Amino acid sequence: MKKKFSLIAMAGAALLLFTACGTTAVTSSSTNLWDQIVYGFAQVIRFLSFGGLTGVGIILFTIVIRAALLPLMNIQIKSSQRMQEIQPEIKKIQAKYPSKDMESRRLMNEEIQKLYAENKVNPYMGCLPLVVQMPVLWALYQALSRVDFLKHGTFLWFEIGAKDPTFILPILAAVFTFLSSYLMMKSAPERNAMTTSMTYIMPIFILIMGVNFAAGIALYWVISNAFQVFQTMLLANPYKIIAAREAKVQVEKDKIKAREKALKKARKK
């Protein structure tokens, strides 16, 4: 989770860097490769902007991107679930090597890596969808701030290329970010302080960025995180996972009771 937060923080810094470095207008005649990518994104959004509504184009563009990432997100969700399931085993290994010396750290890491391999868990898979989305986010921001036919567009109550004056979009983005994190945390068999704190820190992080970035970016975050809530309920419904886990525990309890009952009958004979 620390690595994920660091990655997001670096992404935010990189986004600001792109903003600072790329300030000239991007047009069809731009020759820079990055500018061509930015203009290509702008063209896709304009194509999807039915009725000339850029906001509609951003919404549809976001849905297309999220749908394209769905297989990758499915892999990430399954990997995260397996990671959650083996947390008790990881804690046992960590308790086995309480010393902080290099040799103990090495042995502990070797056992944890072996545990990952046996359970087909990739601890870095959780960051992969985020890494894939970052170039999209950067290009979208640049398109909204540097392509003339996008940065002056309007949708509902806000200017696409300006900050949302009502803060509605940043707040919605933060709310959906919280819901998506909360639903993933809810299904975890064990919770730790870091996971819980990040569930509350990330929405604040998104809120701050949403307030300071163009409304079009905040709109992207709203739709993207709302899609993620839907995706979580579809692919990793925490209520179903909890029910299945409780049913499994109940089956084990029933087996133990049946075994004890059988032993009592055998003793009576």
Side-chain angles (χ1 to χ4, degrees), residues 16-71:
L16 292 175
L17 179 62
F18 269 107
T19 304
C21 294
T23 56
T24 58
V26 174
T27 65
S28 57
S29 60
S30 297
T31 57
N32 181 278
L33 177 60
W34 174 252
D35 287 352
Q36 290 177 0
I37 293 173
V38 169
Y39 192 77
F41 272 53
Q43 289 285 63
V44 172
I45 292 172
R46 181 159 68 173
F47 174 77
L48 295 172
S49 299
F50 296 103
L53 297 174
T54 305
V56 173
I58 293 174
I59 291 171
L60 294 177
F61 175 81
T62 305
I63 292 173
V64 169
I65 293 296
R66 295 295 305 200
L69 289 174
L70 198 56

Side-chain angles (χ1 to χ4, degrees), residues 122-173:
N122 185 341
Y124 301 103
M125 186 58 69
C127 298
L128 186 56
L130 180 64
V131 172
V132 173
Q133 287 186 78
M134 280 303 104
V136 176
L137 187 61
W138 293 332
L140 177 60
Y141 186 92
Q142 292 280 285
L144 293 173
S145 60
R146 299 176 63 197
V147 179
D148 189 66
F149 62 78
L150 285 189
K151 67 181 181 180
H152 298 303
T154 59
F155 184 65
L156 298 178
W157 68 89
F158 54 87
E159 286 280 340
I160 293 294
K163 299 174 184 178
D164 180 1
T166 65
F167 304 119
I168 292 174
L169 290 175
I171 290 171
L172 286 176

Side-chain angles (χ1 to χ4, degrees), residues 227-243:
F227 189 98
Q228 186 159 324
V229 171
F230 165 77
Q231 170 188 281
T232 301
M233 294 300 293
L234 179 67
L235 300 177
N237 190 313
Y239 302 101
K240 290 183 178 179
I241 292 173
I242 292 170

Side-chain angles (χ1 to χ4, degrees), residues 96-223:
K96 183 179 175 181
Y97 299 99
S99 178
K100 300 296 182 181
D101 63 274
M102 292 295 292
E103 182 62 15
S104 296
R105 297 290 91 186
R106 184 185 66 80
L107 292 172
M108 182 186 71
N109 289 331
E110 285 181 358
E111 287 200 31
I112 290 177
Q113 291 301 320
K114 183 179 178 181
L115 182 66
Y116 287 157
E118 290 173 351
N119 290 274
K120 298 180 180 179
V121 171
N122 185 341
Y124 301 103
M125 186 58 69
C127 298
L128 186 56
L130 180 64
V131 172
V132 173
Q133 287 186 78
M134 280 303 104
V136 176
L137 187 61
W138 293 332
L140 177 60
Y141 186 92
Q142 292 280 285
L144 293 173
S145 60
R146 299 176 63 197
V147 179
D148 189 66
F149 62 78
L150 285 189
K151 67 181 181 180
H152 298 303
T154 59
F155 184 65
L156 298 178
W157 68 89
F158 54 87
E159 286 280 340
I160 293 294
K163 299 174 184 178
D164 180 1
T166 65
F167 304 119
I168 292 174
L169 290 175
I171 290 171
L172 286 176
V175 168
F176 282 120
T177 298
F178 170 77
L179 286 175
S180 63
S181 299
Y182 174 78
L183 289 172
M184 289 300 294
M185 180 184 69
K186 188 174 180 63
S187 63
E190 292 187 8
R191 299 180 188 180
N192 55 57
M194 177 60 69
T195 301
T196 302
S197 62
M198 287 302 296
T199 300
Y200 295 95
I201 290 173
M202 281 309 303
I204 296 173
F205 186 79
I206 291 295
L207 176 64
I208 293 171
M209 290 200 297
V211 167
N212 289 282
F213 291 160
I217 289 290
L219 178 62
Y220 171 86
W221 273 324
V222 169
I223 304 303

